[in-house]
Amino acid sequence: MKTSYENLGGTYHEENGHLIPDVTLPEQTDYQIGKYGRMHLDYIKQYRRGRYTTLLTEGKLNARLHEIDLEANEMLETIIPRLTAERGIDENMKARDMLRWVAEMNNIKANAEEIVLREVVLV
């Protein structure tokens, strides 16, 4: 008598007297994952287990992490220049008061990263 798994085309192999289903994960892409992709991975592993498991078993995890990383970096590249222009941070300030310029730029980068985390990475 066949099991439901066998009726659907599944097969087994024997290991130490036990029948083990022949199941493998689909091929994944092999993109290098940057900071924001790794942060998203940690987030979904901890808080969105279902999404993590689905992406992993469908073979889409690496590609999704790569997309998140690209989207986050693109968003930073648009937010940072906009914030520097809004706050009047420019090369003149850099020449006049380097320490203030560094402090302002660090503040802008932190603000931009907070936006990216909230809107792209931690969702």
Side-chain angles (χ1 to χ4, degrees), residues 29-78:
T29 55
D30 192 25
Y31 295 115
Q32 290 284 50
I33 305 302
K35 173 183 176 180
Y36 300 106
R38 288 190 310 271
M39 290 172 80
H40 184 70
L41 176 61
D42 292 341
Y43 175 77
I44 63 173
K45 275 183 172 181
Q46 187 169 2
Y47 299 106
R48 303 283 189 257
R49 292 293 295 174
R51 183 183 306 163
Y52 168 74
T53 302
T54 300
L55 289 169
L56 181 64
T57 56
E58 290 178 352
K60 298 177 181 176
L61 180 61
N62 182 262
R64 180 65 183 139
L65 297 176
H66 181 67
E67 288 171 13
I68 291 286
D69 201 55
L70 290 176
E71 186 178 344
N73 283 305
E74 287 173 10
M75 194 171 186
L76 277 175
E77 288 176 12
T78 59

Side-chain angles (χ1 to χ4, degrees), residues 67-110:
E67 288 171 13
I68 291 286
D69 201 55
L70 290 176
E71 186 178 344
N73 283 305
E74 287 173 10
M75 194 171 186
L76 277 175
E77 288 176 12
T78 59
I79 292 173
I80 291 173
R82 190 186 73 213
L83 291 176
T84 56
E86 286 174 7
R87 296 179 187 180
I89 313 299
D90 58 12
E91 292 299 313
N92 291 333
M93 177 190 279
K94 185 177 180 180
R96 284 190 325 270
D97 191 351
M98 177 67 85
L99 289 177
R100 181 169 174 232
W101 181 85
V102 168
E104 292 287 344
M105 289 304 294
N106 285 340
N107 188 347
I108 286 171
K109 184 165 189 218

Side-chain angles (χ1 to χ4, degrees), residues 4-23:
S4 298
Y5 180 65
E6 290 172 311
N7 287 334
L8 293 172
T11 59
Y12 296 93
H13 67 275
E14 188 173 338
E15 229 176 80
N16 299 327
H18 299 284
L19 290 177
I20 309 294
D22 293 325
V23 178

